[in-house]
Amino acid sequence: MSANRCFRSVIRIGPVQVGTAYNGRGREKHTAACTAPRCGFSADYDSRAAAELAARTHRCPAC
């Protein structure tokens, strides 16, 4: 079953988008996902700072 999340506070850092949403348990999660084709990087974090750091340090093999 796929997650259907409504993201807010979405920013873009290079090819990576960082957004905030609530998970199925009502907890706030921050997601960093690369939008480049054939990259496939995405990860959930507990803090916004960690998600933004991951976006800044991501080295995309597809770019």
Side-chain angles (χ1 to χ4, degrees):
M1 180 194 240
S2 66
N4 190 9
R5 297 181 184 160
C6 183
F7 288 98
R8 57 188 168 80
S9 301
V10 177
I11 64 167
R12 187 176 186 97
I13 301 172
V16 181
Q17 285 188 335
V18 177
T20 302
Y22 289 103
N23 67 359
R25 297 182 179 204
R27 295 185 182 119
E28 192 175 62
K29 290 290 184 177
H30 309 277
T31 303
C34 186
T35 58
R38 299 180 311 275
C39 179
F41 167 76
S42 69
D44 288 336
Y45 297 94
D46 290 330
S47 70
R48 179 77 179 201
E52 289 184 11
L53 178 65
R56 282 179 173 66
T57 59
H58 174 64
R59 297 295 171 245
C60 187
C63 291

